[in-house]
Amino acid sequence: MKAISGIVTQPEVTERISDVTASRSHHYEFSIADVRVSLSSSHDMDITEGDVVIVAGNIRFGRMTSFAFRNLSNGTRRDAGVISHLFVALFTLISGLFGVIITSVFLAPFSYVILAVTGISLFCLLYRSFVSVIARILVWRHRRQMTT
């Protein structure tokens, strides 16, 4: 994971509306130097041409998938949602344990399947939270290095 900063060029915004959950998300793509940055958020982030930004994420083949973002021009910042992922992980744990208890009473052999699915889901959610925290720290450190 890496943090980069620079001036936004060629910004594009796509709004997606989910039919299933009736939720709205914004997908942003812009360039910083020769890296194309991709970023999604449930909130509008007000990214315009010429803004100075810091982004942190994974770079592959000249494209960055960003997990944290800070716009130095207008002060906005976003990350991949640490708190929301932790709440979903807690809900997954509780519902998974409830599912294991129910299936162990009625369908004992299937309780291991539910336990495995719960474990995998928890790992993915906690990993995503960890990545968000690391990205947020990288943006913070990059900003401190810019000011000193």
Side-chain angles (χ1 to χ4, degrees):
M1 190 172 307
K2 184 177 181 180
I4 61 172
S5 61
I7 298 173
V8 171
T9 58
Q10 304 169 345
E12 299 173 13
V13 181
T14 307
E15 188 173 0
R16 297 179 182 153
I17 300 173
S18 171
D19 294 335
V20 177
T21 60
S23 63
R24 179 176 292 179
S25 67
H26 304 276
H27 182 75
Y28 296 86
E29 286 202 18
F30 52 89
S31 295
I32 297 177
D34 27 337
V35 177
R36 193 75 179 154
V37 179
S38 175
L39 172 62
S40 294
S41 175
S42 59
H43 305 289
D44 187 21
M45 291 192 288
D46 191 26
I47 301 171
T48 57
E49 181 94 23
D51 285 352
V52 178
V53 298
I54 304 170
V55 291
N58 296 327
I59 299 177
R60 291 190 185 118
F61 307 112
R63 294 185 64 86
M64 173 183 264
T65 302
S66 178
F67 298 110
F69 161 85
R70 175 99 186 199
N71 190 335
L72 300 176
S73 298
N74 62 21
T76 59
R77 66 181 174 93
R78 295 279 181 256
D79 57 42
V82 177
I83 301 297
S84 62
H85 283 99
L86 291 175
F87 276 127
V88 172
L90 179 64
F91 176 75
T92 301
L93 177 65
I94 292 169
S95 61
L97 291 176
F98 181 73
V100 167
I101 292 169
I102 295 299
T103 55
S104 66
V105 171
F106 298 109
L107 301 166
F110 294 107
S111 62
Y112 295 108
V113 173
I114 291 179
L115 190 60
V117 168
T118 301
I120 292 169
S121 299
L122 279 174
F123 173 78
C124 292
L125 289 165
L126 293 175
Y127 174 77
R128 181 71 176 193
S129 296
F130 176 74
V131 167
S132 297
V133 168
I134 296 300
R136 183 185 267 184
I137 290 169
L138 284 174
V139 167
W140 176 77
R141 284 180 61 197
H142 194 83
R143 183 169 183 227
R144 278 193 64 188
Q145 289 173 354
M146 288 176 64
T147 58
T148 56

